[in-house]
């Protein structure tokens, strides 16, 4: 595109810039057009041409309003050139329907113009001296009607300056006519002229095809009236930074970037409505709604309209804007809102960049852009004000709640509201749409439930736009030129959307080996603001509403999904998720960062009927072993049990076992016991004696805690005998520890010490630090009950130190509780209270209900003792 109005050959200057056409020129054109018309057998082409010729004849015959008639004849001739050029060389059957329809519409327009001209012709023919006053009125009215006729035909010229191409063709047609009548010596020049005409007609043909379905600029310009001052939440500091930059010099150039739905437009309007900004720029604050700027001429016309420039048919409309701005004595602030629309016009980005750079070069113009994405446009040609404004991200929780309650005040005090806002990732647009649903009568609990199943469809409105539909907003970002140009970008986004906690950058290559250029795809996603980096830049994440939309509309294909699962399964090798394994601590550190993702991947895999569910069940069992020791939770293992039972998996017994283990760790023995019994039945079916005995040991432990000591010890001794018989010495040592623990609970101190010392000796012989430490802890507790406080404290502190090295928080907390109980027995209530409170903090984090109750009971007891001292 040319922004100047030069008249070089082939330039895009419009017909209006050439000057007034002569009637002789029109006559030459008519001669050529008649020849072309005679050479076609297409009825509807002859029809439109015949009507157009009548228009020209009558316009030429009208004795008044010659200027308007001349313009009308020019327009008519130009349109005939366009039509004939577009249909050149085609048979009637080869002409597409949309082009036939377009010609039929033009025929109708010509017929309407012809009817008006005949009325005007009759008026001018009846003029007399006695009707001079009426003739003057007719003259004025005729002029208006003729201008209306010209305007009716003007739309066919199109917003891509078709008139300039037509004018060029008319000139070449005249020259061709002269050359055709010349001598044979200049035949070579004739051929050159013919080629030039064909080139011009080809360009016109392409334009008119698009023009048949493209609305005219003037009829479709959106309003550029400044929207009202919006209410914003949690963005006040951001607005102040922007205003400070606006006043940092005579002019400024700011860009507000961020994902769709973050409130960029609201923030920009808050800036432009600020009293300080109003005072500086007075009425020269201009809002340009670029969302509808789908072509460069429309973009330019929107800028002109926002500046209140009068309509113009100039071929250099942008030049008029530049002249206006450069010759004005005022400071201007142009807000180019949703600038991504013109920036992403296919094949036109360099032209849009030229327009933006030219505007930025004017010393009295400040620019404020809002734009989806994470990259400033034209960074190499425009000096954007520094420090650059950061991309807008989600709101903090308090601001999100304030925004929600502004729309739905009746939701105040709802305990589930913050949970709902967190589910939406505190995204402003999602909050606004959800609050409107609450305002309409939906409860917060119902909205939470609906979001878990419907996701972004809950916030979609049929026929909505980016302002009232979360799906439309996200779709606009996905349709950006950069994303469409890189298929791997959507594939990578689909991978990331499966991971609620985002992905560690150093693990991405393992998770998506089928996307070798993941770095390039990630750059595109960052540029489109479809992903964002964590504060420490180690992870890349996706907002919850975007995740939900991608999972719904762009689900991950099976191959990359299997790759993603495999990468996560490798984090939980079964042997290494047992606390006794020497690599347990190292694995635990990595797993602690991936727990949220791991659970999402496992649950998804368990319910995927097309995937390897046996593999998913095994991985779930291994992961639950880790959870049992670190963060006892049952969500994954419950799902694994359901699926294993449904498909008859051999892993059902192991899953039941870990489910029961976790429940015991949570202090829920009543729920654990029947699950252990189910596990025992499964192991009996498999003939697994060791696992059957292991289950029996644990059931005996539960009976002991309930006070059934003799029955419990008999069960545990029977299990120990079985285990020794089959050579499972480690599990047999655990039976002995359980027996000692049972004696301790029943205050049989001597028997407890005997069993625990023997068990510890067996664990030491097996090089089992965890087992020997467990025995040491219980021995220390027993010594304390026997009144040997110093020896008890020493043993318990040694056990606590080992538990810290092993990485067993439950063991550490248990040692703290026993140390506190030793202090209590010794009468040191202040020290006892401190240890009980430390233990309570850890058990609360672990969710161990029975130990939490024990800690609270002891704390109340020592408080009473302290108060009575």
């Amino acid at each position: 595109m040319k922004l100047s109005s030069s008249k070089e050959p082939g330039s895009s200057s419009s017909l209006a810039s050439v000057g007034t056409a002569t009637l002789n020129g029109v006559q030459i054109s008519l001669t050529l057009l008649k020849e072309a018309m005679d050479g076609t057998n297409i009825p509807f082409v002859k029809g439109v041409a015949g009507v157009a010729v009548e228009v020209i004849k009558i316009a030429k015959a009208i004795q008044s309003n010659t200027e308007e008639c001349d313009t009308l004849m020019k327009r008519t001739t130009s349109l005939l050139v366009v039509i004939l050029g577009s249909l050149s060389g085609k048979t009637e059957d080869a002409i597409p329907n949309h082009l036939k329809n377009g010609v039929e519409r033009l025929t109708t327009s010509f017929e309407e113009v012809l009817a008006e001209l005949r009325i005007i012709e009759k008026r001018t023919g009846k003029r007399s001296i006695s009707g001079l006053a009426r003739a003057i009125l007719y003259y004025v009215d005729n002029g208006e009607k003729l201008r209306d006729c010209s305007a009716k035909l003007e739309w066919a010229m199109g917003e891509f300056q078709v008139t300039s191409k037509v004018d060029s063709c008319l000139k070449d047609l005249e020259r061709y006519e002269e050359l055709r009548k010349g001598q044979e010596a200049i035949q070579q020049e004739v051929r050159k002229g013919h080629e030039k005409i064909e080139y011009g007609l080809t360009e016109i043909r392409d334009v008119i095809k698009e023009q048949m379905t493209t609305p005219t600029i003037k009829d479709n310009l959106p309003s550029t009236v400044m929207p009202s001052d919006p209410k914003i939440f949690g963005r006040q500091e951001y607005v102040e930074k922007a205003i400070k930059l606006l006043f940092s010099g005579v002019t400024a150039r700011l860009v507000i970037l961020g994902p769709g739905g973050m409130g960029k437009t609201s923030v920009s309007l808050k800036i432009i409505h600020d009293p300080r900004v109003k005072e500086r720029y007075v009425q020269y604050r201009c809002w340009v709604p670029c969302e509808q700027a789908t072509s460069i001429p429309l973009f330019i016309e929107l800028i002109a309209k926002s500046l209140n420039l009068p309509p113009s048919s100039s071929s250099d409309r942008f030049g008029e804007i530049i002249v206006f701005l450069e010759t004005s004595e005022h400071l201007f602030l142009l807000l180019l809102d949703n600038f991504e629309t013109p920036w992403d016009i296919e094949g036109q980005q360099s032209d849009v960049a030229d327009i933006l750079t030219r505007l930025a070069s004017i010393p009295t113009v400040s620019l404020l852009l809002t734009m989806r994405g994470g990259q400033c446009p034209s960074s190499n040609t425009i000096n954007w004000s520094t420090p650059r404004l950061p991309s807008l991200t989600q709101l903090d929780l308090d601001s999100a709640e304030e925004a929600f309650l502004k729309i739905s005040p009746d939701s105040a005090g709802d305990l589930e509201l913050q949970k709902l806002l967190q589910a939406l990732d505190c995204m402003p647009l999602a909050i606004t749409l959800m609050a409107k649903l609450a305002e309409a009568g939906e409860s917060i609990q119902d909205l939470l439930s609906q979001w878990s199943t419907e996701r972004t469809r809950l916030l979609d409105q049929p026929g909505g736009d980016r302002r009232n539909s979360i799906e439309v907003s996200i779709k606009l970002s996905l349709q950006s030129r950069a994303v469409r140009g890189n298929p791997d970008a959507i594939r990578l986004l689909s991978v990331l959307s499966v991971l609620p906690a985002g992905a560690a950058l150093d693990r991405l290559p393992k998770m998506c080996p089928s996307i070798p250029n993941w770095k390039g795809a990630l750059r595109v996603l960052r540029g489109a603001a479809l992903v964002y980096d964590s504060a420490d830049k180690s992870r890349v994440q996706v907002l919850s509403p975007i995740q939900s939309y991608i999972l719904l509309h762009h689900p991950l294909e099976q191959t990359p999904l299997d790759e993603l699962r495999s990468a996560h399964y490798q984090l939980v090798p079964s042997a290494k998720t047992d606390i006794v394994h020497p690599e347990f601590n190292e694995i635990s550190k990595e797993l602690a960062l991936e727990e949220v993702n791991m659970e999402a991947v496992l649950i998804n895999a368990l319910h995927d009927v097309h995937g390897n569910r046996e593999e998913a069940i095994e991985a779930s069992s291994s992961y639950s072993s880790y959870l049992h020791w670190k963060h006892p939770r049952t969500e994954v293992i419950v799902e694994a049990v359901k699926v294993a039972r449904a498909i008859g998996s051999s892993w059902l017994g192991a899953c039941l076992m870990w489910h029961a283990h976790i429940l015991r760790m949570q202090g829920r023995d009543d729920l654990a016991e029947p699950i252990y019994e189910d596990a025992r039945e499964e192991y009996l079916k498999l003939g697994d004696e060791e696992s059957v005995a292991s289950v029996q040991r644990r059931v005996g432990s539960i009976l002991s805690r309930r006070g059934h000591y003799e029955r419990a010890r008999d069960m545990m001794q029977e299990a120990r005998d079985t285990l020794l018989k089959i050579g499972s010495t480690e599990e047999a040592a655990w039976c002995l520890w359980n027996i000692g623990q049972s004696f301790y609970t029943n205050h049989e101190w001597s028997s407890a010490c005997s069993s625990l010392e023997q068990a510890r000796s067996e664990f030491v012989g097996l090089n089992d630090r965890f087992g020997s430490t467990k025995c040491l802890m219980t021995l220390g507790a027993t010594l304390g009950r026997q009144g040997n406080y110093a020896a008890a404290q020493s043993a318990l502190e040694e056990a606590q130190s080992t538990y810290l090295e092993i990485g067993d928080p439950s063991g550490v907390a248990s040692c703290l509780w026993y140390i506190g109980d030793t202090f209590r027995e010794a009468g040191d209530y202040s020290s006892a209270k401190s240890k009980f409170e430390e233990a309570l903090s850890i058990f609360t984090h672990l969710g161990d209900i029975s130990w939490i109750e024990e800690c609270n009971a002891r704390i109340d007891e020592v408080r009473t003792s302290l108060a009575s001292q």
Side-chain angles (χ1 to χ4, degrees):
M1 176 193 128
K2 265 192 172 309
L3 300 180
S4 68
S5 58
S6 62
K7 303 299 187 296
E8 299 169 5
S11 73
S12 56
S13 58
S14 74
L15 194 61
S17 66
V18 177
T20 305
T22 64
L23 296 181
N24 186 45
V26 171
Q27 186 60 49
I28 293 172
S29 299
L30 275 175
T31 302
L32 290 170
L33 291 170
K34 284 177 180 177
E35 288 186 9
M37 185 178 66
D38 291 340
T40 180
N41 292 319
I42 303 174
F44 65 86
V45 176
K46 286 190 173 185
V48 69
V51 177
V53 169
E54 284 300 311
V55 168
I56 293 172
K57 286 181 179 179
I58 294 176
K60 186 176 179 182
I62 293 173
Q63 299 301 312
S64 64
N65 304 93
T66 54
E67 184 177 350
E68 288 85 353
C69 288
D70 185 54
T71 300
L72 183 60
M73 286 188 286
K74 281 196 311 177
R75 293 270 160 78
T76 303
T77 304
S78 301
L79 274 175
L80 283 175
V81 172
V82 171
I83 296 165
L84 293 174
S86 299
L87 305 177
S88 176
K90 291 185 174 64
T91 64
E92 184 174 1
D93 293 338
I95 298 172
N97 288 333
H98 72 274
L99 202 53
K100 291 179 182 179
N101 294 336
V103 174
E104 289 173 1
R105 289 195 297 272
L106 284 174
T107 304
T108 301
S109 297
F110 276 131
E111 287 172 346
E112 291 172 357
V113 169
L114 184 60
E116 289 287 350
L117 288 178
R118 284 171 175 160
I119 293 171
I120 295 170
E121 184 182 28
K122 289 179 180 179
R123 285 180 176 178
T124 56
K126 293 180 178 181
R127 189 175 64 184
S128 64
I129 296 176
S130 61
L132 183 58
R134 180 180 297 174
I136 293 171
L137 290 174
Y138 278 169
Y139 181 85
V140 174
D141 188 51
N142 291 344
E144 185 64 33
K145 289 185 180 297
L146 287 166
R147 284 190 292 274
D148 288 344
C149 290
S150 293
K152 188 183 294 289
L153 299 180
E154 183 181 2
W155 72 272
M157 296 299 100
E159 58 192 56
F160 294 98
Q161 298 180 316
V162 175
T163 49
S164 64
K165 300 182 185 302
V166 173
D167 178 65
S168 176
C169 285
L170 284 173
K171 286 186 176 181
D172 291 332
L173 281 168
E174 291 181 11
R175 189 176 179 195
Y176 178 80
E177 176 69 6
E178 293 173 0
L179 292 171
R180 191 175 62 83
K181 294 177 180 180
Q183 298 177 357
E184 290 295 328
I186 59 173
Q187 194 64 39
Q188 181 65 29
E189 188 67 22
V190 173
R191 282 196 295 271
K192 289 182 181 179
H194 179 72
E195 290 171 359
K196 198 169 187 179
I197 292 169
E198 286 300 318
Y199 176 79
L201 290 175
T202 299
E203 286 187 305
I204 294 170
R205 187 182 303 112
D206 292 340
V207 171
I208 197 168
K209 285 178 182 178
E210 182 174 352
Q211 195 60 26
M212 291 301 179
T213 57
T214 303
T216 61
I217 294 175
K218 294 182 180 179
D219 291 340
N220 290 277
L221 282 178
S223 171
T224 56
V225 176
M226 182 84 68
S228 58
D229 189 1
K231 178 71 175 176
I232 62 172
F233 302 91
R235 306 295 198 195
Q236 289 77 7
E237 185 178 343
Y238 192 99
V239 169
E240 284 301 316
K241 285 181 181 178
I243 292 174
K244 184 177 180 181
L245 284 171
L246 274 178
F247 283 79
S248 61
V250 177
T251 57
R253 292 154 193 88
L254 312 180
V255 183
I256 300 175
L257 299 168
M262 282 298 164
K264 298 181 292 296
T265 294
S266 294
V267 169
S268 67
L269 289 172
K270 195 68 181 176
I271 294 167
I272 209 167
H273 277 292
D274 186 274
R276 294 163 291 179
V277 176
K278 284 183 178 180
E279 182 179 357
R280 182 172 195 178
Y281 294 97
V282 201
Q283 73 267 35
Y284 301 102
R285 298 168 300 121
C286 304
W287 178 62
V288 184
C290 299
E291 182 183 3
Q292 299 188 44
T294 54
S295 68
I296 290 180
L298 186 52
F299 177 44
I300 292 171
E301 199 59 45
L302 278 168
I303 297 173
K305 186 175 180 180
S306 73
L307 292 168
N308 289 322
L309 295 184
S312 170
S313 60
S314 169
S315 64
D316 193 8
R317 184 60 159 161
F318 186 65
E320 292 181 342
I321 293 172
I322 296 301
V323 169
F324 171 74
L325 292 172
E326 288 186 331
T327 56
S328 175
E329 298 177 355
H330 303 287
L331 292 176
F332 289 86
L333 175 56
L334 296 184
L335 167 51
L336 304 180
D337 193 18
N338 293 296
F339 182 71
E340 69 276 357
T341 299
W343 187 250
D344 268 346
I345 297 173
E346 196 70 37
Q348 300 290 308
Q349 192 171 98
S350 61
D351 294 333
V352 176
D354 289 343
I355 293 172
L356 189 64
T357 302
R358 185 68 180 90
L359 289 171
S361 71
I362 302 174
T364 56
V365 173
S366 290
L367 294 178
L368 174 58
L369 275 66
T370 71
M371 186 174 180
R372 288 170 184 258
Q375 297 175 344
C376 288
S378 301
S379 294
N380 58 333
T381 57
I382 297 176
N383 292 322
W384 298 102
S385 299
T386 53
R388 292 184 182 179
L389 292 171
S391 292
L392 279 182
T393 57
Q394 56 266 59
L395 297 173
D396 61 82
L397 192 56
D398 289 341
S399 299
E401 186 170 4
E402 186 183 1
F404 192 98
L405 295 177
K406 180 69 176 177
I407 298 171
S408 179
D410 290 344
S411 301
D414 194 305
L415 299 178
E416 297 291 314
L417 177 56
Q418 289 200 349
K419 187 176 179 181
L420 175 62
L421 296 172
Q422 288 170 333
L424 299 174
D425 256 346
C426 295
M427 185 181 190
L429 177 59
I431 291 168
T432 297
L433 298 176
M434 193 70 83
K436 289 180 179 178
L437 293 176
E439 182 189 26
E442 297 274 6
S443 71
I444 300 299
Q445 185 64 48
D446 286 345
L447 290 174
L448 257 175
S449 177
Q450 290 177 64
W451 175 255
S452 68
T453 55
E454 296 183 46
R455 313 303 288 181
T456 52
R457 286 177 296 191
L458 178 62
L459 304 180
D460 188 32
Q461 295 186 15
D465 59 23
R466 63 175 182 82
R467 293 161 295 186
N468 56 27
S469 170
I470 198 75
E471 292 216 338
V472 171
S473 180
I474 295 169
K475 191 183 298 182
L476 285 173
S477 296
L478 294 175
Q479 289 174 344
S480 68
R481 184 176 52 84
V483 174
R484 284 186 287 110
N486 189 328
D488 283 344
I490 294 292
R491 294 179 65 205
L492 180 60
L493 187 57
S494 296
V495 171
L496 296 173
S497 294
V498 176
L499 307 173
L505 291 173
D506 59 356
R507 296 197 70 241
L508 262 181
K510 298 177 183 177
M511 289 191 283
C512 50
S514 61
I515 309 178
N517 189 24
W518 64 268
K519 289 184 178 180
L522 185 58
R523 280 194 297 272
V524 170
L525 294 176
R526 281 174 172 150
L530 287 164
V531 300
Y532 66 97
D533 292 308
S534 60
D536 62 0
K537 306 296 184 184
S538 66
R539 303 180 75 85
V540 60
Q541 296 174 271
V542 184
L543 289 170
S544 174
I546 298 176
Q547 281 182 336
S548 300
Y549 179 89
I550 295 299
L551 290 174
L552 187 63
H553 297 284
H554 300 277
L556 198 56
E557 296 174 354
Q558 195 64 47
T559 297
L561 184 58
D562 289 341
E563 293 171 349
L564 180 68
R565 289 170 179 168
S566 176
H568 282 78
Y569 295 165
Q570 290 170 20
L571 291 175
V572 285
S574 56
K576 297 181 182 180
T577 52
D578 194 320
I579 200 166
V580 300
H581 197 282
E583 294 181 33
F584 178 77
N585 273 346
E586 183 181 343
I587 288 174
S588 295
K589 290 177 184 177
E590 189 168 11
L591 268 176
L593 299 173
E594 299 296 333
E595 283 184 16
V596 175
N597 288 340
M598 179 66 73
E599 293 177 21
V601 168
L602 287 173
I603 289 176
N604 175 275
L606 287 169
H607 293 285
D608 182 3
V609 296
H610 301 293
N612 188 338
R613 294 205 281 179
E614 194 75 23
E615 191 177 30
I617 293 168
E618 180 183 358
S620 297
S621 176
S622 298
Y623 178 64
S624 295
S625 169
Y626 156 80
L627 287 180
H628 164 255
W629 297 112
K630 286 294 186 179
H631 309 289
R633 291 195 300 273
T634 61
E635 291 82 1
V636 171
I637 199 63
V638 165
E639 293 302 313
V641 167
K642 289 179 184 176
V643 175
R645 203 185 295 278
I647 68 173
S649 171
S650 60
W651 282 91
L652 177 57
C655 290
L656 287 165
M657 188 85 127
W658 282 115
H659 186 195
H661 287 351
I662 293 174
L663 288 172
R664 285 205 67 197
M665 190 64 79
Q666 294 174 342
R668 302 165 74 181
D669 286 355
D670 57 328
L671 298 178
E673 185 179 4
I675 295 176
Y676 274 132
E677 292 294 348
D678 287 348
R680 182 175 177 274
E681 291 298 321
E682 290 300 319
Y683 286 132
L684 282 171
K685 292 177 186 177
L686 296 173
D688 187 344
E689 289 185 82
E690 182 178 6
S691 295
V692 170
S694 181
V695 170
Q696 186 172 325
R697 171 176 76 85
R698 287 171 168 85
V699 173
S701 177
I702 292 174
L703 290 174
S704 179
R705 290 175 69 166
R706 291 177 180 168
H708 304 297
Y709 301 113
E710 290 188 13
R711 182 184 167 199
R713 285 194 286 268
D714 287 344
M715 286 186 70
M716 290 185 285
Q717 186 60 52
E718 182 183 343
R720 175 173 166 80
D721 293 342
T722 300
L723 291 164
L724 288 172
K725 181 180 177 182
I726 63 177
S728 181
T729 53
E730 183 178 2
E731 190 65 20
W734 278 111
C735 288
L736 195 54
W737 174 83
N738 281 120
I739 292 170
Q741 182 76 14
S742 176
F743 282 126
Y744 169 83
T745 307
N746 199 32
H747 301 173
E748 298 179 53
W749 314 123
S750 177
S751 296
C753 285
S754 176
S755 294
L756 291 169
E757 285 172 353
Q758 183 183 347
R760 188 179 185 217
S761 175
E762 291 183 12
F763 280 124
V764 170
L766 293 167
N767 198 27
D768 187 336
R769 288 183 74 200
F770 181 73
S772 64
T773 304
K774 194 87 166 178
C775 293
L776 181 62
M777 178 185 70
T778 313
L779 278 169
T782 306
L783 291 170
R785 287 303 185 93
Q786 291 178 313
N788 193 347
Y789 304 127
Q793 186 173 345
S794 175
L796 289 168
E797 287 178 348
E798 182 184 345
Q800 180 188 354
S801 176
T802 305
Y803 275 133
L804 282 170
E805 290 178 19
I806 293 173
D808 179 8
S810 179
V812 171
S814 298
C815 287
L816 287 168
W817 190 92
Y818 285 124
I819 292 170
D821 208 41
T822 301
F823 281 128
R824 181 188 64 81
E825 290 280 343
D828 186 351
Y829 301 120
S830 179
S831 297
K833 179 174 176 290
S834 175
K835 295 298 180 181
F836 287 138
E837 287 174 343
E838 285 185 62
L840 176 62
S841 175
I842 298 174
F843 282 129
T844 299
H845 177 70
L846 293 173
D848 192 325
I849 299 170
S850 63
W851 272 111
I852 291 171
E853 291 174 352
E854 291 283 353
C855 289
N856 283 323
R858 283 289 194 261
I859 290 169
D860 289 341
E861 183 181 335
V862 296
R863 279 175 178 164
T864 302
S865 299
L866 284 168
S868 64
Q869 283 183 339

